[in-house]
Amino acid sequence: MSTSTTTTTTTNAAPATPATGDASSAHASRSAELYARALRVLPGGVSRNTVLRDPHPAYLDRASGCRITDLDGVERIDFANNMCSLIHGHADPGIVAAVTAQLARGTASTLATEVEVDFAEHVVGRSPSFEKVRFVNSGTEALMVCLKAARAFTGRPRIAKVEGAYHGAYDAAEVSQAPGPDTWGDADHPRSVPLVHGTPQSTLDDVVVLPFDDPERAVAILDEHRGDLACVLLDLMPHRVGLRPASPAFVDAIRDWTERHGALLVLDEVITFRTEVGGLQARYDARPDLTAMGKMIGGGFPVGAVAGRADVMDTMNPRGEGPLRFPHSGTFSANPISMVAGLEAMRRFDAAAVARLNELGERARRGIEAAIGRTGSAACVTGTGSMFRVHMKADPPRNYREAWATPAEKTRLARLLDHLFHAGFVMINTCSGVLSTPMGEAEIDALVAAMEDGLAADAAGG
Ligand SMILES: Cc1ncc(COP(=O)(O)O)c(C=O)c1O
């Protein structure tokens, strides 16, 4: 691998010219300089740990379509898409035009907006489980609202969630988000493990942890808590749990249990909503009571949404009968910038666009699988729709404990990610990739070729 910097121009027609080496090693790097300044004023030098990489983050210069260029002039194909939130890639002309027009008309106010109603109608029209919707500002907030609405509706304080599943930063939602073998406890009774030092014991006590895709174990645990659970929170294909879709048997068992015991089923579709017009839930018989969304439905701007049963959503309705059970507001909720961007993005992410992107996703998964086969690397690929994840394990993991990377696997994954970055590809740091509509077969095939080189090096031991 060369250590010189490659400067390329941005085009949307062909794969990026491979980036060759880290700019900092050969030249004074703008990114390195900025990081030195950042370290003095930002903890760890960043505002979100996601952007960290060694020896320093790459700093954005510009991005367009599926290509992103850093301040050292290196262009890469972006398979991270801001952690799954840019369904039409960067600087999409339709979204830029819609936002620019709205900027001149005002960005946020205490008047309601027409576009909020337009977007609500659009979202409600995408799934039969959506009777009403409320917009918020992030996936974290959407999950928080779901859990509070479930508690307000049932009058019960506790929730159940899947071990290892990431649902954002709300206290209850982040319990057992990242346990390890020394903390996770017995598989029949996974422990409620704090993510953040100082998490109140009462929060841990109020969260019941379930194994993913194990209907018998999950129902046995739920049975011990019947009568005091407000909801079961489920991501149908949790990224950190391995990015493998839940079996219908598991989802049916959870739905059946919640119905029998007066608890709600809450789905987190913050990343999976892209899988079908109506989200990944469209592939299952079970219907949720509430769904949390975020990321791509904002067209690249901060957003979250909660949609579901009208009677549950009406816990937030100050005009309903009886006392208001869940007073809910938010200064920037349904701000017209996020609304116009989201509406433009989602209108164009119709059945044809979803199907095209899913086909490309299949091409990526099949291509990577074939590359694994040819190189003999002990790796595998999971995912569905327009998402995939590479694990440095021979067999696809079925739950968080199987997906958990050993130190040796982490080292191999870090090497593969470095190889891809230097070859001109930005991935999510679990070696997951998500597609955007500006991508075509050329970008997928370029990634697969680079992946094969990286896997061959892995199989050769370095
Ligand atoms: C499945 C899932 N739920 C919730 C969230 C939280 O969303 P946000 O980062 O917008 O708060 C994320 C973010 O990565 C997510 O992947």
Side-chain angles (χ1 to χ4, degrees):
M1 211 180 295
S2 154
T3 52
S4 68
T5 307
T6 301
T7 304
T8 60
T9 49
T10 302
T11 105
N12 279 329
T17 304
T20 50
D22 191 317
S24 64
S25 50
H27 307 281
S29 153
R30 288 284 331 274
S31 289
E33 283 166 16
L34 275 173
Y35 191 54
R37 281 173 53 200
L39 278 170
R40 290 196 281 273
V41 284
L42 297 163
V46 290
S47 294
R48 56 200 285 228
N49 294 348
T50 327
V51 303
L52 276 174
R53 66 180 319 281
D54 284 332
H56 54 74
Y59 283 74
L60 173 73
D61 178 19
R62 60 189 183 278
S64 172
C66 59
R67 289 174 166 71
I68 188 161
T69 305
D70 69 24
L71 278 180
D72 293 307
V74 181
E75 182 191 273
R76 299 180 176 86
I77 301 180
D78 190 1
F79 279 89
N81 280 301
N82 192 31
M83 303 303 280
C84 215
S85 63
L86 301 171
I87 198 71
H88 297 302
H90 300 273
D92 172 80
I95 296 173
V96 170
V99 167
T100 306
Q102 184 59 45
L103 277 173
R105 298 179 62 210
T107 55
S109 74
T110 51
L111 299 192
T113 62
E114 182 172 350
V115 67
E116 167 190 2
V117 182
D118 291 342
F119 195 26
E121 286 170 351
H122 177 89
V123 170
V124 164
R126 287 183 86 103
S127 170
S129 80
F130 300 171
E131 293 173 358
K132 286 191 177 172
V133 61
R134 264 212 181 185
F135 295 108
V136 291
N137 301 291
S138 67
T140 290
E141 206 183 331
L143 266 307
M144 178 180 76
V145 167
C146 281
L147 300 186
K148 289 188 178 196
R151 292 181 190 137
F153 186 75
T154 60
R156 301 170 179 176
R158 309 181 76 198
I159 68 146
K161 66 157 288 194
V162 162
E163 185 173 59
Y166 182 75
H167 299 289
Y170 181 52
D171 266 7
E174 67 181 12
V175 171
S176 284
Q177 185 196 105
D182 48 340
T183 57
W184 60 36
D186 175 2
D188 288 328
H189 287 100
R191 287 172 55 195
S192 293
V193 180
L195 180 75
V196 180
H197 190 68
T199 299
Q201 185 59 43
S202 56
T203 301
L204 303 175
D205 293 343
D206 279 342
V207 178
V208 173
V209 181
L210 309 174
F212 185 63
D213 225 13
D214 186 335
E216 288 77 28
R217 273 204 178 102
V219 166
I221 294 168
L222 289 171
D223 276 343
E224 293 170 21
H225 301 279
R226 65 167 78 91
D228 62 354
L229 286 179
C231 66
V232 178
L233 169 58
L234 196 60
D235 182 334
L236 295 168
M237 187 173 68
H239 173 205
R240 307 253 183 119
V241 179
L243 205 76
R244 201 171 155 162
S247 62
F250 181 64
V251 180
D252 287 347
I254 301 286
R255 175 72 282 191
D256 178 60
W257 189 90
T258 51
E259 269 168 7
R260 280 189 291 114
H261 297 287
L264 302 185
L265 175 61
V266 174
L267 291 188
D268 179 346
E269 291 241 45
V270 168
I271 65 169
T272 55
F273 197 65
R274 57 167 45 227
T275 318
E276 297 292 341
V277 168
L280 185 50
Q281 61 188 268
R283 295 191 185 168
Y284 295 80
D285 291 334
R287 263 197 208 181
D289 300 296
L290 290 179
T291 300
M293 288 164 278
K295 304 224 184 209
M296 75 148 185
I297 69 157
F301 288 79
V303 86
V306 176
R309 268 169 54 184
D311 55 350
V312 181
M313 296 295 293
D314 274 344
T315 54
M316 288 176 269
N317 178 2
R319 310 241 153 147
E321 283 167 22
L324 176 59
R325 284 172 285 173
F326 176 12
H328 171 253
S329 238
T331 303
F332 288 100
S333 291
N335 74 79
I337 301 296
S338 296
M339 295 293 99
V340 294
L343 182 58
E344 168 70 16
M346 295 309 288
R347 271 192 182 142
R348 282 170 35 217
F349 197 51
D350 57 11
V354 173
R356 178 181 165 275
L357 219 53
N358 288 354
E359 269 169 36
L360 285 178
E362 193 55 32
R363 186 181 182 94
R365 286 185 294 276
R366 271 193 278 109
I368 296 167
E369 239 156 38
I372 291 168
R374 282 191 296 272
T375 58
S377 166
C380 65
V381 60
T382 56
T384 193
S386 53
M387 295 179 274
F388 60 87
R389 177 173 170 184
V390 176
H391 304 260
M392 303 315 266
K393 298 176 180 289
D395 298 313
R398 289 166 300 183
N399 55 44
Y400 175 73
R401 295 183 186 201
E402 289 185 7
W404 190 82
T406 64
E409 289 164 357
K410 276 189 189 137
T411 304
R412 290 172 54 214
L413 192 80
R415 272 202 298 260
L416 179 63
L417 283 166
D418 265 354
H419 162 79
L420 291 172
F421 192 73
H422 293 306
F425 300 90
V426 178
M427 306 292 292
I428 292 173
N429 58 13
T430 48
C431 209
S432 299
V434 295
L435 310 190
S436 62
T437 58
M439 289 180 177
E441 292 181 355
E443 283 78 17
I444 304 300
D445 295 349
L447 174 72
V448 169
M451 193 75 82
E452 179 151 356
D453 290 345
L455 290 166
D458 173 67

